[in-house]
Amino acid sequence: MKHPALFLAVTLVAAISPLTIRSQVTTPKANADESAAVLRKKAFKLLGSIAEQVGSLQSSENRARIASNVADLLWEEDEKLSRDLMQSVAQDLRTWASEIEPDDVEDMRELGTLVKLRSDIIGRLAKRDLEAALDFLRATRLPAPVDLAGKQRRGADQFFKPEELDNRLELQLAQQAAGKNPKFSLQLGRELIMKNLSPDLLPLLSELRHRDAAMANTFYKMIVEQLRETPRDPETPATALSFELARAVRPPAVDEQVYRSLLGMVLAAAIRSHCDNQGDAPPTQDCYQIGYLLPALEKYYGSQTASLKQWELSATEVDRMEGWERVREVEETGTIDEMLTLAAKYPDLRDHLNWAAMQKAETAGDLAAARKIAESQPAEASRRSMLARVEELHRWESINAEKLTALQQTLSELPNDEQRTSYIFEVVRNLAENDRKAALGLMDQAGQMVERAKSPRARLVGQAGLALLYGMLKSDRGFPILEALMPRLNELVAASIQLDGLELNYVRQGEWNMSSEGIVGGILVGLAQNAEYFARIDFDRSVALTNQLQRSELRLMAQEKIAQGILAPTDSLSTKVTPPVRVDDFRVRDIRY
């Protein structure tokens, strides 16, 4: 292992961050428990203080990031303030975008960060107010990069196409609206048809079909009408849409005459694509989809389809294609039971569906259901593989003398304390929910290893890891570790800023850029992402800790995360992830708070 300490730092962040499985740590509801109500009041007061200070930050990125988070958290408490904050966020995003130089590699990296942040903000705002989210999207449209002469910069559009990005975001909004406001969803869908006649529209149609059949039929007719009016060349998005739409929805789910009209366009497209082998040009990829539609084409157009018979599929091939259509649908919106029912109907797809069902059960935290699915798998090789995965998840839920002996044996075989500490941290995460006593005992052992670490880097990341895991275990033993660590972190932040740009990039617009680059960035991200643990143990002490941070942008972000931990819509805290982070999986990642 070339970089054990760096591996440990990233492992800590990845291992403790809320990723895959969320175990339930239930706390009293705000209206039912006085202490919870007090905590919520403190959290709102803290957010109000942050809202007053955020405008003083230099970086438009940091202002937008922090203010948008605060607006989301304050929405139900003070909607007017939240809407005002979102207006300032929109202006900050526009300012940030105007400062990006498309010819600068680092700036184009920042563009990716901007695009991601904007998308996240729109998604959160849509949960509050769909129309406000759409207005925000349109108020923050990103211009295509241009030079002073007004010409698009050469090559810039190869990876950044603002119009396509906004079309995708509007589609997501329309899908999100389908259940709450089908009329809004349909209106937005109508506008998108005029701009983006492609298979990207199909998920919206599918969502409407699940929510409102009448609206779905109206949307289907709109698409067909627009296809009729749009010239189509072979292998274009509009042609692909006509083929996929004809496959995806059929009578009686849609009007038969409209479907017949769509098939007429498919037939014409097949002829244009030389699927009838007429002319010198070879058939296109479109022809391979004709076989599945041929029975329906023959029903409505009879002898006109004779030249396409060469593409006819066998009954087995048709059945398999229908199966994959159902698989795609059930994976998007189906339940575990629906997946298992479909697996019984399509034996050839059983392996795929059973794995998908088992993974869905794992994600829901239902390992008993995951095991039952694995045990029912008929193929021996798949059953062994699935059961091995489930056993890995169960392995460290509790510990006994035999397991403890095996663990100590494994530790003795590892080459150094850094790897032993990393291994103990991994086990502790998995023990946290069901065997807290054993987990705390192992933390004592890890603490001894960290204290005798000779490398300053190993000691730093080890101390941060100890503090975070103690917080996860609901122990206040993490506080003194962090209190002792804060002065050192301030020194390292100041030194990193002085070295900014030599190897790593910590600063943008004069402020810390909130990424997890390097050891220092990784530790700060880990502390911020897991502030909820400390807030629930001792809110006031947690805030006092953040007040030791000398840089205001770091202090405000950490305090916002503390408030978020108290006001989160769910009372579940992440205690473990799976599968464990391994050396082979290690990648330096750019994670933003």
Side-chain angles (χ1 to χ4, degrees):
M1 185 185 300
K2 295 182 179 179
H3 305 289
L6 182 58
F7 165 67
L8 177 57
V10 179
T11 298
L12 292 178
V13 174
I16 304 172
S17 300
L19 293 178
T20 305
I21 292 186
R22 298 185 69 83
S23 59
Q24 302 302 311
V25 183
T26 304
T27 60
K29 298 298 181 182
N31 293 333
D33 187 272
E34 184 178 350
S35 62
V38 169
L39 275 180
R40 287 178 62 84
K41 185 175 180 179
K42 288 182 176 182
F44 283 129
K45 183 178 180 180
L46 182 60
L47 288 171
S49 173
I50 296 170
E52 292 175 356
Q53 299 176 65
V54 70
S56 65
L57 297 178
Q58 300 176 51
S59 164
S60 51
E61 173 187 355
N62 287 342
R63 289 197 304 270
R65 190 179 298 279
I66 296 174
S68 62
N69 291 341
V70 170
D72 183 54
L73 293 168
L74 278 176
W75 193 277
E76 294 179 5
E77 180 75 7
D78 191 338
E79 185 175 328
K80 182 182 183 304
L81 175 58
S82 293
R83 290 184 183 274
D84 290 344
L85 285 170
M86 290 309 299
Q87 288 186 6
S88 69
V89 169
Q91 179 57 53
D92 284 329
L93 290 184
R94 290 192 294 266
T95 301
W96 184 11
S98 71
E99 296 166 347
I100 291 175
E101 291 290 339
D103 283 343
D104 187 291
V105 174
E106 288 301 325
D107 272 17
M108 293 312 291
R109 181 183 179 188
E110 287 301 321
L111 180 60
T113 301
L114 168 58
V115 167
K116 175 66 166 57
L117 176 60
R118 176 174 176 256
S119 177
D120 290 344
I121 292 171
I122 291 168
R124 292 199 304 269
L125 188 53
K127 296 176 182 178
R128 304 293 189 182
D129 186 325
L130 288 163
E131 293 186 4
L134 182 60
D135 290 342
F136 184 91
L137 186 159
R138 292 174 174 173
T140 57
R141 290 195 189 281
L142 304 175
V146 295
D147 61 20
L148 294 177
K151 296 179 181 179
Q152 191 168 30
R153 291 188 186 273
R154 184 174 58 189
D157 62 334
Q158 292 178 4
F159 53 87
F160 176 57
K161 298 181 179 180
E163 185 177 354
E164 291 183 5
L165 170 67
D166 285 359
N167 285 342
R168 288 197 298 272
L169 290 173
E170 289 189 12
L171 271 169
Q172 291 171 14
L173 282 179
Q175 286 177 248
Q176 199 168 344
K180 297 186 291 185
N181 190 342
K183 289 184 179 179
F184 176 88
S185 180
L186 184 63
Q187 178 57 40
L188 189 50
R190 187 196 306 271
E191 297 173 19
L192 286 164
I193 289 171
M194 306 299 293
K195 298 186 295 184
N196 183 35
L197 202 60
S198 77
D200 292 342
L201 296 166
L202 292 177
L204 174 55
L205 176 63
S206 176
E207 192 67 32
L208 282 170
R209 288 179 62 205
H210 282 92
R211 304 291 187 173
D212 192 311
M215 290 288 185
N217 271 311
T218 300
F219 187 52
Y220 179 90
K221 291 177 183 177
M222 289 178 183
I223 296 175
V224 174
E225 288 170 3
Q226 188 62 32
L227 282 169
R228 188 182 297 113
E229 298 174 7
T230 303
R232 293 181 306 284
D233 295 322
E235 298 185 318
T236 60
T239 299
L241 174 61
S242 63
F243 277 80
E244 293 191 29
L245 185 61
R247 288 170 50 191
V249 193
R250 302 186 180 197
V254 291
D255 182 271
E256 188 167 15
Q257 289 304 311
V258 179
Y259 184 69
R260 185 183 188 281
S261 174
L262 175 63
L263 285 178
M265 289 184 271
V266 168
L267 179 59
I271 302 302
R272 286 196 304 273
S273 297
H274 306 288
C275 301
D276 57 355
N277 275 348
Q278 300 296 317
D280 297 329
T284 70
Q285 288 296 320
D286 292 336
C287 302
Y288 295 97
Q289 300 189 60
I290 284 294
Y292 184 66
L293 294 170
L294 199 56
L297 287 167
E298 288 176 333
K299 175 181 177 180
Y300 294 108
Y301 292 96
S303 60
Q304 297 180 52
T305 65
S307 60
L308 304 175
K309 292 288 285 184
Q310 61 183 304
W311 302 103
E312 188 172 20
L313 299 177
S314 68
T316 301
E317 290 172 320
V318 170
D319 186 61
R320 185 172 179 80
M321 289 188 71
E322 287 179 347
W324 276 114
E325 293 289 340
R326 289 285 295 118
V327 166
R328 280 192 286 270
E329 184 177 350
V330 78
E331 283 183 329
E332 287 180 8
T333 60
T335 64
I336 292 174
D337 287 342
E338 288 171 336
M339 288 181 179
L340 297 177
T341 299
L342 199 61
K345 183 177 180 181
Y346 295 101
D348 289 348
L349 306 178
R350 183 180 290 139
D351 254 19
H352 177 88
L353 282 162
N354 283 343
W355 270 100
M358 187 183 78
Q359 290 168 352
K360 196 176 186 74
E362 290 173 4
T363 302
D366 191 347
L367 293 184
R371 178 186 291 279
K372 184 177 180 181
I373 294 167
E375 290 173 343
S376 66
Q377 179 71 3
E380 183 178 352
S382 294
R383 184 169 62 253
R384 285 201 307 268
S385 179
M386 293 170 75
L387 283 172
R389 178 183 173 92
V390 174
E391 289 301 327
E392 181 67 22
L393 300 182
H394 278 286
R395 183 182 178 196
W396 292 111
E397 283 192 334
S398 61
I399 197 166
N400 53 29
E402 182 180 352
K403 285 184 178 180
L404 185 59
T405 300
L407 185 149
Q408 297 300 330
Q409 177 62 35
T410 299
L411 291 175
S412 69
E413 294 169 357
L414 293 174
N416 56 58
D417 276 351
E418 292 178 49
Q419 292 188 38
R420 294 184 192 105
T421 304
S422 180
Y423 187 77
I424 290 175
F425 285 175
E426 179 64 32
V427 173
V428 167
R429 284 189 306 103
N430 287 279
L431 283 173
E433 182 183 3
N434 297 319
D435 201 337
R436 180 173 178 269
K437 182 179 179 181
L440 287 170
L442 289 172
M443 288 289 286
D444 290 338
Q445 186 176 359
Q448 294 170 14
M449 295 177 185
V450 170
E451 285 304 308
R452 63 177 181 245
K454 296 179 180 179
S455 161
R457 183 169 58 177
R459 177 182 284 265
L460 179 69
V461 296
Q463 289 171 335
L466 285 169
L468 291 174
L469 284 169
Y470 275 127
M472 188 187 72
L473 291 167
K474 298 184 288 185
S475 167
D476 62 3
R477 292 173 65 181
F479 281 104
I481 297 173
L482 287 179
E483 287 162 353
L485 198 58
M486 279 298 174
R488 178 63 173 152
L489 281 177
N490 282 324
E491 292 174 359
L492 290 170
V493 167
S496 298
I497 289 174
Q498 291 298 314
L499 296 172
D500 179 62
L502 292 179
E503 291 184 353
L504 299 174
N505 295 289
Y506 294 107
V507 178
R508 177 171 173 80
Q509 298 173 329
E511 291 180 349
W512 194 267
N513 66 12
M514 307 296 185
S515 80
S516 64
E517 282 202 15
I519 297 293
V520 179
I523 289 174
L524 290 171
V525 166
L527 292 174
Q529 288 182 339
N530 296 278
E532 59 185 312
Y533 295 115
F534 299 98
R536 291 177 185 274
I537 296 169
D538 190 327
F539 185 94
D540 294 334
R541 195 173 180 183
S542 299
V543 174
L545 260 176
T546 65
N547 284 330
Q548 293 185 38
L549 290 167
Q550 293 175 349
R551 296 195 66 87
S552 58
E553 65 271 26
L554 293 175
R555 184 169 60 253
L556 293 180
M557 182 61 77
Q559 290 177 355
E560 178 264 308
K561 291 299 181 183
I562 287 174
Q564 184 182 48
I566 299 300
L567 300 175
T570 174
D571 289 328
S572 62
L573 299 180
S574 172
T575 58
K576 59 184 178 181
V577 296
T578 187
V581 178
R582 304 179 189 279
V583 175
D584 292 343
D585 299 327
F586 169 65
R587 298 289 186 276
V588 175
R589 298 168 299 144
D590 183 20
I591 305 173
R592 300 268 168 153
Y593 290 36

